[in-house]
Amino acid sequence: MPFYERGPIRIHYEEAGKGFPLLVIPGGGLNATIASLDATHPFNAQKEFSNEYRCIAADLRNANGGQSSGPLEIERPWDAYTDDHLGLMDHLGFEKFVVLGYCIGGPFIWNLMKRAPGRVVAAVLAQPSGHRPELPDQFYDNNIANWGPALVARRPEIALETVSAFLNKMYRSPGDFVFTVTRDFARACQTPLLILPDDIPPHPYAVAMESAMLAPNAQVSLYPWKDVPEKIPLAVRHIRTFLKANRPA
């Protein structure tokens, strides 16, 4: 079980396959782990694409049930996680890569493109999370009730008040759009994107479609694409075609 370490940060990751690097960001909110790719996801991208790509996935820092750990950086929550993603790719020697992210991976992908323009060659956002105005506190409420108490029980040096401040900064400051970038950034983003919308409370269809309409090189897969199992292979085929068309020769 390999780990990438940087100071107090320890990130558990796994690799599969060979070829051009594909960073796979699991979903599941702040409890996103490699194991969840098999347990809760419509398909496991690390396994699905390992015959064509060198697939890298990691447990999110401080995910309950995962093996990655590090401090809660209250003033820069999204950037702290992006540090882990970019640091891991640096550690493995990958300057450029493609990325596929589920759920919380959507905001992470936008932040990767903001932080490291040119490194993300193409990106797939599957069932991306975003701000839903009619449920403005859903991410704060869910995490303060579920993720936070388990983290505090495991890490007694972290107070629940610290968790609250972290979540407040992450999801309420600002609580808008995809959390990590503005609509102006999306409008100017030239990276090829493939978006697979969902429409449950944490994955608003409206935000996924607005992102696709704003970004000039975005395309959208079929919707719904996972309401019945028979449709999922079609969506995966679209992803495979999209990645092949946009990866370097």
Side-chain angles (χ1 to χ4, degrees), residues 30-234:
L30 297 179
N31 283 325
T33 63
I34 300 167
S36 66
L37 290 170
D38 274 328
T40 61
H41 291 45
F43 64 94
N44 182 336
Q46 188 175 31
K47 292 181 178 178
E48 190 70 45
F49 299 106
S50 61
N51 61 330
E52 300 173 67
Y53 298 88
R54 187 171 173 183
C55 300
I56 304 98
D59 293 340
L60 203 63
R61 186 197 299 196
N62 299 323
N64 297 310
Q67 300 178 61
S68 297
S69 60
L72 290 187
E73 300 186 37
I74 295 174
E75 293 305 316
R76 52 191 307 274
W78 291 105
D79 280 333
Y81 291 116
T82 300
D83 287 348
D84 298 342
H85 291 133
L86 291 174
L88 176 58
M89 300 310 275
D90 290 342
H91 171 73
L92 295 172
F94 302 138
E95 173 61 25
K96 293 182 180 292
F97 53 92
V98 292
V99 57
L100 185 154
Y102 305 84
C103 180
I104 196 172
F108 284 145
I109 286 172
W110 284 108
N111 209 40
L112 278 167
M113 294 186 295
K114 180 175 72 174
R115 286 275 308 277
R119 292 190 68 176
V120 177
V121 174
V124 178
L125 292 77
Q127 55 196 58
S129 60
H131 177 71
R132 189 181 282 272
E134 67 273 25
L135 293 171
D137 295 322
Q138 65 167 322
F139 292 105
Y140 177 92
D141 291 344
N142 288 341
N143 283 292
I144 201 68
N146 300 304
W147 173 73
L151 176 63
V152 170
R154 194 173 72 251
R155 300 267 301 277
E157 76 277 11
I158 299 176
L160 195 58
E161 291 77 13
T162 303
V163 172
S164 175
F166 178 84
L167 294 172
N168 193 65
K169 180 70 174 179
M170 189 168 194
Y171 287 115
R172 292 171 165 171
S173 179
D176 188 36
F177 192 40
V178 298
F179 299 113
T180 51
V181 301
T182 64
R183 289 172 175 84
D184 284 343
F185 179 90
R187 196 175 286 113
C189 178
Q190 298 297 317
T191 305
L193 305 176
L194 173 60
I195 298 173
L196 286 74
D198 193 12
D199 199 16
I200 63 172
H203 309 153
Y205 175 82
V207 175
M209 290 305 298
E210 184 181 11
S211 301
M213 295 297 289
L214 288 173
N217 290 318
Q219 54 185 279
V220 181
S221 187
L222 75 161
Y223 175 82
W225 59 275
K226 58 189 183 70
D227 55 328
V228 293
E230 292 78 13
K231 288 184 183 177
I232 294 173
L234 184 59

